[in-house]
Amino acid sequence: DYNLLGVLSNQMVTALTNARLYADSLERTRLQEEVTMARQIQLDLLPDKPPQLDSFQIAAQSTPSRTVGGDFYDFIPIEPNKRLGIVIADASGKGMPAALLIAQIQAIMRSEVNNGNPIATIMKNMNKQVCLSTSLEKYVTLFYGELDLETGDFHYSNAGHNYPVLA
């Protein structure tokens, strides 16, 4: 009887361990699928390619250090064929929290630019929204400029971002 109980208990422990490992495997697979979807959503936020301009050459690339990250850039046509808005941003931290913050930044930025606000107002409103919607340890560095495609004038504001302009 002792031998039978020992064999049965070993089989039950093995079965329970296998069930737990299987449940963990299913959860990891589900999380990986969600992260893959988040990566695709983040990639969809970035432009497919930089705009092709007659007088200027623009190049951009973003490679997150993890599956998703907090780097972002965008090109926003303003008065098509007259001005181009250029955004470069980086959210503090890495991974999903930074990616979510960048998604919010993109939405606010496009809204501000499409409302026709001047650069100073855009940056002020961006700062206000980020401060209202994030905790104190989270922040975003952001560069925004508007290129006049007719005159070549470039007006910009830099909110703590590395210097992104090469002359």
Side-chain angles (χ1 to χ4, degrees):
D1 288 342
Y2 287 117
N3 285 341
L4 178 61
L5 285 174
V7 168
L8 288 175
S9 65
N10 284 339
Q11 286 181 346
M12 288 191 318
V13 167
T14 301
L16 289 171
T17 300
N18 286 342
R20 183 179 45 80
L21 290 173
Y22 180 70
D24 289 348
S25 173
L26 288 177
E27 180 66 15
R28 274 194 304 278
T29 300
R30 186 187 65 76
L31 286 173
Q32 184 57 40
E33 287 172 357
E34 286 183 8
V35 168
T36 300
M37 286 178 17
R39 178 174 175 75
Q40 188 56 51
I41 290 168
Q42 186 175 36
L43 290 173
D44 290 343
L45 293 178
L46 299 174
D48 291 335
K49 58 184 177 166
Q52 301 299 311
L53 305 174
D54 294 333
S55 302
F56 299 92
Q57 205 173 25
I58 299 176
Q61 179 180 344
S62 177
T63 306
S65 62
R66 296 186 182 169
T67 305
V68 293
D71 297 327
F72 172 71
Y73 64 90
D74 200 3
F75 307 106
I76 306 169
I78 308 165
E79 303 173 61
N81 299 323
K82 291 188 179 180
R83 288 187 300 149
L84 178 68
I86 300 172
V87 184
I88 305 171
D90 186 9
S92 64
K94 303 218 179 298
M96 200 67 73
L100 289 170
L101 185 53
I102 284 299
Q104 179 183 14
I105 293 301
Q106 190 227 23
I108 296 169
M109 193 72 201
R110 283 198 162 251
S111 175
E112 288 293 322
V113 172
N114 289 331
N115 284 336
N117 291 330
I119 294 172
T121 302
I122 290 171
M123 298 303 272
K124 180 178 136 196
N125 291 344
M126 286 290 301
N127 186 56
K128 182 178 179 182
Q129 289 301 316
V130 169
C131 288
L132 288 173
S133 64
T134 61
S135 57
L136 292 175
E137 67 275 0
K138 295 290 181 195
Y139 62 91
V140 175
T141 63
L142 188 136
F143 172 89
Y144 176 67
E146 293 181 0
L147 176 62
D148 187 314
L149 300 175
E150 294 171 348
T151 66
D153 290 343
F154 188 60
H155 299 275
Y156 64 90
S157 179
N158 191 353
H161 201 75
N162 295 335
Y163 298 109
V165 178
L166 298 176

